[in-house]
Amino acid sequence: MSTTWYECKVKYRKTDEAGGQKITTEPYLVDALSYTEAESRINEEMSAYISEEFKITNIKVANYAEIHPFENADRWFRSKVSLLAYDEESGKERKTNMYLLVQANDVKEAYDNTTSVMKGTMGDYTIPAISESPIMDVFPYFSGEEGELEQLERFNALKGSKPEAVAEIVDHMEFETAPEEEAVV
């Protein structure tokens, strides 16, 4: 199943180390089926962390092919991976870029984590760029924990739901129809 990630920017009042409050806008990533569901999910997730009011200022589809969390890491890095393919018809080498979001503590660890994720790849690839992402946290549907069975059921229910069947409208108006003319051959 293809996962669609939405980047949601949330504006709220944050208390800094000195005890002062400032208004900040931070991006978060949620796994959702639509913009509407992304908004609902980010509201649900953020209300657990923020006691005061907050505002969602932007929602957009994130350009990540895969998300890879790693234990003992606290920052997210955007890894650009170029897949190399040889086009036999033209005789040229083609590059296809994809972006991975990898959790790590620094750029070197992000490179190592990206390399370990790509280890099973059959084709050739290069990693031309890794940069720290502003993403504060990622909220997937499932993280594999046992307590998330309810979220799995909700996801499957949403995915399998169909629009309500429209009841057939019975037309009680009567119109005279002209008899069909016979076609002359």
Side-chain angles (χ1 to χ4, degrees):
M1 180 184 87
S2 178
T3 303
T4 305
W5 292 95
Y6 291 87
E7 184 178 320
C8 304
K9 291 194 177 179
V10 180
K11 185 176 188 177
Y12 66 98
R13 188 177 312 274
K14 185 176 187 177
T15 306
D16 60 10
E17 294 83 27
Q21 290 193 346
K22 67 176 187 171
I23 295 177
T24 184
T25 302
E26 296 176 334
Y28 294 87
L29 221 53
V30 294
D31 177 9
L33 298 172
S34 66
Y35 284 93
T36 306
E37 186 188 9
E39 180 181 15
S40 172
R41 291 215 45 237
I42 196 65
N43 271 313
E44 181 182 325
E45 295 289 351
M46 295 311 293
S47 62
Y49 295 106
I50 301 172
S51 59
E52 296 180 18
E53 70 178 45
F54 58 89
K55 180 179 180 181
I56 298 166
T57 59
N58 189 18
I59 298 176
K60 67 180 181 179
V61 175
N63 186 21
Y64 295 112
E66 298 173 4
I67 310 292
H68 294 280
F70 284 87
E71 288 187 29
N72 302 324
D74 59 348
R75 296 178 358 213
W76 292 96
F77 290 84
R78 178 182 172 111
S79 297
K80 180 179 180 180
V81 177
S82 295
L83 302 172
L84 306 173
Y86 183 74
D87 187 5
E88 293 181 14
E89 290 180 13
S90 66
K92 294 182 181 178
E93 190 174 76
R94 285 186 354 187
K95 283 186 180 181
T96 304
N97 294 325
M98 70 176 191
Y99 297 93
L100 307 178
L101 191 65
V102 180
Q103 201 170 20
N105 291 312
D106 56 27
V107 176
K108 182 184 180 326
E109 187 177 336
Y111 177 82
D112 294 341
N113 290 348
T114 303
T115 305
S116 72
V117 165
M118 297 298 293
K119 192 180 295 182
T121 305
M122 297 296 282
D124 293 333
Y125 67 91
T126 60
I127 304 171
I130 294 179
S131 60
E132 187 170 358
S133 170
I135 301 292
M136 298 302 291
D137 205 354
V138 175
F139 301 110
Y141 257 116
F142 330 110
S143 65
E145 296 177 8
E146 291 181 11
E148 296 187 350
L149 185 60
E150 180 182 324
Q151 284 185 330
L152 174 63
E153 290 172 354
R154 188 172 71 181
F155 174 76
N156 288 332
L158 281 172
K159 186 176 152 196
S161 67
K162 295 179 183 170
E164 292 181 23
V166 177
E168 187 175 320
I169 299 173
V170 178
D171 188 4
H172 296 289
M173 299 180 80
E174 295 181 19
F175 293 100
E176 288 186 29
T177 56
E180 292 183 28
E181 295 181 25
E182 292 183 15
V184 179
V185 182

